[in-house]
Amino acid sequence: MGTAIKLMDPAENEFLAQLEKKTGPNHMFRTMANRPEALKNFVPLYGAIMGPGLVERRLKELVYLAVSFANEWPTARPHTAPSARRRASRKMN
């Protein structure tokens, strides 16, 4: 049996609080906030990966969703599935 990872309360971390004002509650960010330097460095990294580039954002999101399913990572699916579905349906129409 594993040990539960504490989800940081946004009231305890100003950077997390500001981030969640933009994104809404996010368990991944709350977990990463246990290491504030990791969370602060992750935000620009994620922006660089998911931002404009040679690969369409739609494909990036579908890969993200597929990897979350393959790794049985249920917390990623609720955040990713709606935007992936929207992008997929726009592409098909």
Side-chain angles (χ1 to χ4, degrees), residues 27-41:
H27 285 179
M28 184 176 75
F29 292 160
R30 289 182 182 199
T31 301
M32 291 179 79
N34 285 292
R35 295 282 188 247
E37 67 285 352
L39 178 59
K40 286 181 181 178
N41 288 311

Side-chain angles (χ1 to χ4, degrees), residues 11-59:
E12 298 176 36
N13 183 302
E14 180 62 29
F15 185 79
L16 175 62
Q18 292 299 319
L19 188 57
E20 286 196 349
K21 279 184 182 178
K22 297 175 190 170
T23 66
N26 186 305
H27 285 179
M28 184 176 75
F29 292 160
R30 289 182 182 199
T31 301
M32 291 179 79
N34 285 292
R35 295 282 188 247
E37 67 285 352
L39 178 59
K40 286 181 181 178
N41 288 311
F42 175 77
V43 172
L45 172 66
Y46 186 78
I49 292 168
M50 295 304 288
L54 298 175
V55 178
E56 292 179 33
R57 183 173 174 99
R58 174 182 169 269
L59 180 56

